[in-house]
Structure formats: C-alpha cells, structure tokens
Amino acid sequence: MDGEKPQERMSLRERKKQLTYEAVSEAAIAMFLERGFDKVSVAEVAAAADISKPTLFRYFPAKEDLVLHRFADHEDEAARVVAARADGESPLDALRRNFLDGLERGDPVTGLCDVPAVLAYQRLLYGTPSLVARLYAYQGRSEAALARALGDRVRDRLAAGQIIAVLRVLALENWRRIDAGESAEQVYASAVESAELAFVQLRTGLGEQG
C-alpha cells in the first residue's frame, strides 16, 4: 500500500493543478468579457486569481492562452477520431460522422451553438485580432496531429491541411449566421448540407486516405 501513496499524491497534485488552470482561465475570460481583452492586464488576472504573474505564466505562456485553453482539448480531436475509427471506416467518413454528430449536439466547436455564454466567448475570440492570430497556432497543431494519424507522408500532410481548413470554414460560417441573429435550429439544416458538400469535395479532391 505504501508504494501507492506517491502515485496517489501525484494524482491529487495533478487534479489541483487542473482545477487551478481552469479557475484562472475562467476568471480571466470573465474579466475580458466585461472590459475587453486589451484592457485587462495579466497582472490584474493574476491578482484576481490570487497567484503571482510568474505562476500564471507557468500555466499560460501567453495572455491569449487564457482564452484559448478551451480549444486545447480539441487540438487533437480530428486525429483521435481518425485513430479510433471503426474497421473499414475511412478517415474522411469518420471525420464526417464526427462533425455531423457535433452539429446535432450543438457542439460549440462546429459553430452551431446559440447559448448566450458561448456566443459571448466567440465574439471575444473572433473580435480580438491577437486571439485570432493565436488560434491559428492551435489549428496548426491540429493539422500536424491529424497528419501523423493519417501516416505523416507528404500526401497526409496535404490532406490534413485541407481537412482542418474545411472544418474551420464550416464552423465560422455557422457562427457568423448565428452571430447575425439566426438560431441554431434555423441554421442546422443548411449547416448539415454544407458539411455534406464539404466532405464530398474533400473526397473528390483528396481520394480516400487509407
């Protein structure tokens, strides 16, 4: 039993670290939503979270990461979907299925979500140039992870770049329509149609990736 205690303590430390990580980010996002991203300093975020600036930067290397951590869990989502696909299911079919499932659930990653808190977050994100620029780095890592899942050959890297770009365009189109005043329910049918069209184009242009 004694041999298990260090592992248990490590598990508790990791859980505490994750809770701190989430609490600091959520506090920062609340401040950014209230006053604007550029009008809140890192020092103010650290003070509100009752931690030092050096500690904050250990959790979040850049101010933008305080907002974009919500994308961290999705960085390798496309890669995970491809890796976990059923026998006989192609990567494109698996990604299509996953995106359509996301639309049905109203997953914010698909852009098809009209929950007020999600819309406020997305307006903060897409309305702040430095956050948009930082988002491209996250998408670059998604692309690299997907390329590795596909095999990491040149054709796999080309395919991954196109797939991630298509998913981004689909999500942005859905979000723009909802931001303009349509409901998720109103957008759903055309969002599915657009997704189906996108995957047909990917399949036609890329062929099935084995």
Side-chain angles (χ1 to χ4, degrees):
M1 296 292 291
D2 289 343
E4 295 178 1
K5 290 181 180 178
Q7 185 176 356
E8 291 171 0
R9 286 196 296 270
M10 178 62 72
S11 177
L12 288 171
R13 284 197 295 270
E14 288 302 313
R15 285 201 295 272
K16 182 178 178 181
K17 181 178 179 181
Q18 183 63 28
L19 288 172
T20 301
Y21 183 84
E22 292 173 359
V24 172
S25 177
E26 292 307 311
I29 289 171
M31 295 171 73
F32 297 150
L33 287 172
E34 181 181 358
R35 293 164 50 195
F37 181 80
D38 295 325
K39 294 183 179 179
V40 178
S41 69
V42 171
E44 289 177 288
V45 174
D50 198 25
I51 59 174
S52 67
K53 277 182 64 176
T55 297
L56 185 146
F57 280 123
R58 284 200 293 273
Y59 284 100
F60 303 95
K63 181 182 177 183
E64 290 78 9
D65 293 326
L66 287 159
V67 177
L68 289 167
H69 89 283
R70 290 185 180 179
F71 283 85
D73 290 341
H74 298 282
E75 266 189 31
D76 64 346
E77 180 175 340
R80 285 187 278 109
V81 168
V82 167
R85 71 189 187 278
D87 291 342
E89 185 178 35
S90 73
L92 282 178
D93 283 341
L95 290 165
R96 169 187 169 276
R97 171 178 49 78
N98 184 68
F99 192 81
L100 292 176
D101 286 348
L103 290 177
E104 188 172 357
R105 296 193 313 272
D107 189 332
V109 172
T110 68
L112 194 70
C113 183
D114 54 11
V115 174
V118 173
L119 283 177
Y121 171 80
Q122 289 176 325
R123 287 174 183 135
L124 170 69
L125 173 61
Y126 294 119
T128 308
S130 62
L131 291 173
V132 173
R134 189 75 172 180
L135 180 58
Y136 280 105
Y138 278 70
Q139 291 169 338
R141 291 193 287 273
S142 296
E143 182 182 317
L146 178 57
R148 289 191 296 271
L150 292 171
D152 219 15
R153 298 158 293 188
V154 171
R155 72 171 188 170
D156 300 319
R157 292 191 286 275
L158 290 169
Q162 293 176 71
I163 290 166
I164 295 301
V166 162
L167 296 177
R168 175 179 59 83
V169 170
L170 289 171
L172 273 174
E173 179 62 20
N174 294 336
W175 174 75
R176 284 172 179 150
R177 290 183 60 182
I178 289 175
D179 188 51
E182 295 183 74
S183 69
E185 183 178 2
Q186 289 172 322
V187 177
Y188 177 75
S190 59
V192 170
E193 183 180 352
S194 295
E196 295 284 22
L197 172 62
F199 279 95
V200 167
Q201 290 184 345
L202 281 170
R203 186 171 288 106
T204 301
L206 300 175
E208 291 292 358
Q209 299 294 312

